[in-house]
Amino acid sequence: MLAAVLILILCLFVAFFIPNYHNMKREKEAEANTQTKKLWHIVQTSLREKKPARAEKALLTILKVDEKNAAAYNRLGIIYAKDKHFDEAIECFEIAQSLDNNASSLHNVGLIYYETGNFEKAVQAFEHAIEIDGGEPARYIAYAKALEKVGKRTKAVESLESAFELNPDENVLKHLLELYENAGDEEKIKAKGVKSVRSRVTNVRPHLPTDMTLPQFRLALLESILEEMPGA
């Protein structure tokens, strides 16, 4: 008889208490998500209005609700870095990186180390960031600058070459040519300069009405210039 009563109690517990517990848990999670969304809106609005203290307060509240929110730690680190609170910024970026192993947090840590003159640690952070995501030219540029500071000029050149391959930007080219010049590498100076010109001409091709070879493009460009010159 006692066994039957215990079984009945257990059945009632399973039938009523457990579903209610799960419903309460879902409602609590939904409430937390709504609160987090509202707080993120406050963060974004505060940053647009240049009110970092208000944004910081909202981010700290988010982390009370969700202590494993890597994005909140990352954004908080950026705020601290802008205010020159570098120790707090590094701590936030390192926590963010431990929660979500992403290149952005590592890159941000590297920037702080570079800013504070800890170039060896900056090199390590940028190197790790590139291992995770090697598709961003900015990572290679930052890595090259840190490598220069620790006297690793050859690796710095290689890193800038990678940045230039991803994005043939004029500023990257200028810095790269300076490194070549410092290293006395005249052949690379000439080759990279020619390659830059060629890449710019190649990038024009999608905007031309018809596909052209380089000589045809030169001729068309000359004819266009002559048409615009009075008395030509």
Side-chain angles (χ1 to χ4, degrees), residues 12-151:
L12 291 170
F13 176 83
V14 171
F16 295 102
F17 180 78
I18 291 180
N20 285 338
Y21 169 76
H22 287 304
N23 288 337
M24 288 170 63
K25 187 179 178 183
R26 280 194 292 269
E27 286 173 6
K28 197 170 182 180
E29 286 173 353
E31 186 180 339
N33 287 335
T34 303
Q35 185 183 0
T36 301
K37 285 180 182 177
K38 288 179 180 177
L39 287 166
W40 270 115
H41 179 71
I42 292 170
V43 171
Q44 291 162 358
T45 304
S46 301
L47 291 174
R48 279 198 302 270
E49 295 174 354
K50 297 182 179 179
K51 296 177 179 177
R54 188 165 180 254
E56 178 193 357
K57 187 177 179 181
L59 286 165
L60 290 171
T61 307
I62 289 171
L63 291 170
K64 285 181 182 177
V65 176
D66 180 10
E67 62 184 13
K68 293 185 177 180
N69 194 316
Y73 277 112
N74 209 24
R75 177 56 65 181
L76 195 58
I78 292 170
I79 290 172
Y80 288 147
K82 286 182 177 178
D83 287 341
K84 308 292 184 185
H85 298 150
F86 295 125
D87 289 341
E88 291 88 343
I90 288 172
E91 185 180 358
C92 286
F93 291 138
E94 287 179 344
I95 293 171
Q97 198 273 327
S98 68
L99 293 170
D100 179 16
N101 191 28
N102 67 77
S104 295
S105 296
L106 281 164
H107 184 81
N108 288 335
V109 169
L111 292 174
I112 301 297
Y113 282 138
Y114 186 91
E115 183 72 20
T116 55
N118 198 336
F119 302 120
E120 289 286 356
K121 282 195 173 183
V123 166
Q124 292 172 11
F126 293 136
E127 200 168 65
H128 194 182
I130 288 169
E131 286 172 4
I132 296 172
D133 177 13
E136 287 290 332
R139 304 205 199 293
Y140 291 97
I141 294 167
Y143 183 42
K145 288 180 177 179
L147 286 166
E148 267 192 282
K149 291 292 186 182
V150 296

